[in-house]
Amino acid sequence: MRPYALPALALALLALAGCATDKRNQALNKTLMNYGAAIRWGDFTGAQAFIDKTYAEEHPISSVEQSRLQQLRVTGYDEGSGPRPDGDDEVVQVVQINVVNINTQAERGIVDRQRWHYDREKGKWTLMTGLPDFSPH
């Protein structure tokens, strides 16, 4: 019986590690889907809930910026090839977002380079790069 104990223990540990990775991937998919939906619907206040708390404190959104965001309608949100790993608990994603200014009816596209971090203790992904920069350049 003992010769089987060590392989059985190793198999059990691998299964547990796989469950943790699966849980993390499910959390990532759900987070990216919900964040993308908030941006697509122009719910920038809801999208702010995904931003890392430290980043949000260091980069507060002014009332002027909030007003500018309310003038935009999102017409496209393309995740491209989706998220790609960048370290143990981080992923990056490049998203093409098209918006129309409701006052001028001018459409433009921006590229949003997102960096997401996984907090293992909370089991939660947070956006480390803030909301997309919609200001005209």
Side-chain angles (χ1 to χ4, degrees):
M1 182 84 158
R2 288 208 174 221
Y4 299 110
L6 188 58
L9 179 63
L11 187 61
L13 289 175
L14 284 174
L16 286 175
C19 290
T21 301
D22 206 31
K23 179 181 174 185
R24 191 176 93 169
N25 288 340
Q26 287 176 353
L28 175 62
N29 289 336
K30 183 177 180 181
T31 299
L32 293 178
M33 184 180 69
N34 290 337
Y35 176 78
I39 296 292
R40 282 182 182 98
W41 285 102
D43 181 12
F44 299 110
T45 302
Q48 289 175 22
F50 292 89
I51 298 173
D52 177 70
K53 301 296 182 214
T54 304
Y55 183 93
E57 290 170 5
E58 293 173 359
H59 303 89
I61 297 177
S62 70
S63 58
V64 172
E65 290 174 286
Q66 287 280 10
S67 295
R68 286 186 187 141
L69 289 173
Q70 297 309 312
Q71 297 174 14
L72 300 175
R73 294 295 172 254
V74 177
T75 58
Y77 187 91
D78 182 7
E79 298 100 348
S81 60
R84 64 177 172 77
D86 190 38
D88 288 339
D89 292 324
E90 294 201 359
V91 297
V92 292
Q93 177 171 255
V94 178
V95 178
Q96 173 71 35
I97 305 172
N98 295 326
V99 293
V100 171
N101 182 307
I102 60 172
N103 296 320
T104 64
Q105 292 299 301
E107 184 177 29
R108 59 190 161 86
I110 66 149
V111 175
D112 182 29
R113 289 169 174 47
Q114 302 170 355
R115 176 171 294 280
W116 293 86
H117 175 74
Y118 185 67
D119 183 334
R120 290 177 186 242
E121 291 178 13
K122 296 178 183 177
K124 181 180 172 184
W125 287 91
T126 55
L127 181 61
M128 306 303 291
T129 51
L131 290 180
D133 180 11
F134 289 108
S135 59
H137 298 283

